[in-house]
Amino acid sequence: MGKEKSVITNALRQLSAKKIVYRTHTYEAPSGFLDGVSVAQATGLAPERVFKTLVTQGASKEYYVCVIPVAKELDLKKAAKHFKEKSIAMIRARDITTVTGYIKGGCSPVGMKKKYPTAIDSSAAAYDFIAVSGGKVGLQMELAVADLCVLTG
């Protein structure tokens, strides 16, 4: 399984509980945060296979999770249309922990406080495995796209 077994996050706990095969990748984030492209470089993974987790809120006040490649920007209009919202906006960085239980730069689409409607960028379908945050800064988890789809609903 993972290289660093001493690090257990909610995300990794859920994968283990469901007997999902995954691999972890660790990286250094000296300033406490790294942008996604830097994370891909630090882990040696192709940037198009490393995805970031973005939390948004619709006009209805519902929260939504978008999992997109680290080098891409979220198209808020497309996200709103996907979730059938009039409009959608990114939540404030200071609200990430309250909403998800994770911190900025370590927000995993798996194991949040509540299960929010989640959309995974269609480009993920081109790969058997992608990497997403493992639930803390400095930790990525690589798992099958199909397993991620099941876990996030």
Side-chain angles (χ1 to χ4, degrees):
M1 284 246 199
K3 282 181 243 166
E4 211 161 287
K5 288 180 174 72
S6 61
V7 178
I8 297 294
T9 62
N10 254 1
L12 297 181
R13 238 181 249 110
Q14 283 205 4
L15 296 182
S16 295
K18 293 192 172 22
K19 298 190 180 356
I20 290 172
V21 176
Y22 67 93
R23 211 165 68 187
T24 59
H25 300 274
T26 57
Y27 61 92
E28 294 295 315
S31 61
F33 175 77
L34 269 189
D35 67 273
V37 174
S38 299
V39 168
Q41 290 169 340
T43 57
L45 296 167
E48 57 276 3
R49 287 188 50 233
V50 179
F51 284 63
K52 58 188 171 185
T53 305
L54 302 175
V55 183
T56 62
Q57 190 173 31
S60 67
K61 299 296 178 209
E62 288 295 317
Y63 293 106
Y64 302 98
V65 177
C66 299
V67 181
I68 67 170
V70 292
K72 283 193 178 171
E73 290 290 316
L74 179 62
D75 183 328
L76 294 170
K77 282 191 169 90
K78 277 186 185 172
K81 189 176 177 181
H82 176 83
F83 291 116
K84 297 173 178 51
E85 283 280 354
K86 192 163 46 179
S87 65
I88 215 164
M90 297 293 297
I91 66 168
R92 296 183 309 233
R94 69 172 184 251
D95 295 335
I96 289 173
T97 304
T98 309
V99 173
T100 68
Y102 290 121
I103 62 166
K104 178 178 165 52
C107 187
S108 178
V110 177
M112 290 186 184
K113 278 183 178 178
K114 290 184 183 164
K115 208 166 193 170
Y116 299 112
T118 301
I120 300 169
D121 190 89
S122 59
S123 66
Y127 307 100
D128 291 333
F129 295 87
I130 62 169
V132 295
S133 172
K136 72 184 229 52
V137 175
L139 180 68
Q140 289 283 299
M141 59 187 196
E142 189 177 3
L143 71 161
V145 175
D147 288 335
L148 182 60
C149 290
V150 169
L151 285 164
T152 59

